[in-house]
Amino acid sequence: MSRKYLIAGNWKMNKTPADGADLAKEIASFVSKDESVEVVVCPTAVALDRVSQVIEDSAVKLGAQNLYPKASGAYTGEISAEMLRAVFAKYVILGHSERREYFAETDAFVNEKVKFALESNLIPILCIGETLEQREADETLEVNKTQLLGGMEGVSAEDAAKVVIAYEPVWAIGTGKTATPEMAQEVHAAIRSVLAEKYGSSVAEKIRILYGGSMKPANADDLLAQKDIDGGLIGGAALEAKSFCDLIESARKAD
Ligand code: 13P
């Protein structure tokens, strides 16, 4: 496969800077310089700088969990793209369902962030996914398409090729319920075909689509074996070095 697998840990609101540095150190020692898998850790904002220093000489890359789409100014509590670049972040998670749910983030706002991240040389990890009610109402593909096109509105084909999409069914996040590999593959394939319609198939073939939602060592092999699943965005299992490194190992084998 031409797309490089990506294993990203979303630490959410966990780990102090010191605990994050310890975890990052263990992960960095597991990941080799010529790693076939791209590995990203996304700590909280206050831990970014410390973790960045720990992984500096390793192949592990840094991601943030959010940004505010303005250069600077009176936006109390927010973090700019320039600040993320200053700590050497390469990726930024945008549109996570927790931000959509608890902070009322809309597709339009997520889209502003996606465009701002790209202009700022950060790679967005754009999260999309349906709720259980939407799945049961047979709205899964429609909901994902709307969030995808909403988030990518006005993004050029050249920029689109850099973006990472994370399909995270909301009902599978932190619940222990995982989409079956077939269920996930169906949505991943649908996402890729929406991208192909918008950007053409050669761009769509370059875009990595991660699965997220209770991904763990026990189910990773089967998920990563699916044609359109290019890695994982991992919450709970990213908080322990052992389980996160086991997921990296699964992606190495899937390669
Ligand atoms: P869990 O792996 O804990 O289900 O979280 C997934 C997620 O939301 C990653 O962004």
Side-chain angles (χ1 to χ4, degrees):
M1 188 181 74
S2 59
R3 297 181 296 271
K4 191 170 188 173
Y5 278 96
L6 196 163
I7 296 291
N10 175 8
W11 295 359
K12 307 191 180 183
M13 199 172 72
N14 296 291
K15 304 283 176 193
T16 61
D19 291 343
D22 288 346
L23 174 58
K25 206 172 290 174
E26 283 192 72
I27 295 166
S29 68
F30 184 77
V31 174
S32 64
K33 285 268 161 67
D34 58 352
E35 188 63 63
S36 61
V37 176
E38 193 170 355
V39 178
V40 177
V41 290
C42 305
T44 59
V46 286
L48 281 168
D49 195 18
R50 186 109 171 240
V51 168
S52 181
Q53 290 171 39
V54 166
I55 61 177
E56 192 179 2
D57 293 321
S58 79
V60 178
K61 293 178 183 156
L62 190 68
Q65 297 179 17
N66 193 19
L67 64 65
Y68 194 72
K70 295 281 180 206
S72 63
Y75 303 101
T76 302
E78 296 298 324
I79 297 170
S80 74
E82 188 189 359
M83 292 166 193
L84 299 181
R85 295 291 313 166
V87 294
F88 306 106
K90 297 222 161 21
Y91 287 89
V92 58
I93 298 170
L94 296 174
H96 193 282
S97 61
E98 287 148 16
R99 297 222 49 98
R100 292 177 191 264
E101 182 182 353
Y102 305 130
F103 304 97
E105 291 197 6
T106 60
D107 285 333
F109 189 43
V110 173
N111 177 240
E112 260 188 75
K113 294 183 183 199
V114 166
K115 288 189 288 195
F116 200 86
L118 286 163
E119 281 164 25
S120 312
N121 274 325
L122 290 164
I123 301 173
I125 301 177
L126 169 62
C127 302
I128 59 174
E130 81 287 356
T131 62
L132 186 58
E133 298 73 57
Q134 289 165 333
R135 177 162 279 272
E136 285 172 348
D138 222 5
E139 293 167 2
T140 297
L141 299 184
E142 200 48 44
V143 166
N144 281 285
K145 182 176 181 178
T146 302
Q147 291 182 5
L148 178 62
L149 292 177
M152 297 294 281
E153 175 88 41
V155 174
S156 69
E158 192 189 347
D159 278 345
K162 301 176 203 156
V163 171
V164 175
I165 307 296
Y167 167 56
E168 301 205 308
V170 178
W171 49 271
I173 295 177
T175 57
K177 289 186 195 144
T178 328
T180 63
E182 294 72 26
M183 280 159 94
Q185 168 58 27
E186 183 195 7
V187 182
H188 281 234
I191 291 169
R192 203 175 302 287
S193 80
V194 171
L195 291 168
E197 257 171 57
K198 185 171 167 74
Y199 293 111
S201 59
S202 78
V203 171
E205 285 302 315
K206 286 189 191 134
I207 298 176
R208 288 176 296 181
I209 307 173
L210 313 183
Y211 171 79
S214 298
M215 193 172 188
K216 45 185 181 278
N219 58 30
D221 289 354
D222 291 342
L223 286 162
L224 294 172
Q226 300 299 313
K227 180 172 166 285
D228 290 292
I229 301 185
D230 307 314
L233 182 57
I234 296 119
L239 297 176
E240 300 278 342
K242 169 86 174 81
S243 46
F244 191 65
C245 292
D246 283 352
L247 291 169
I248 296 169
E249 185 60 29
S250 285
R252 283 175 182 161
K253 284 186 303 189
D255 210 34

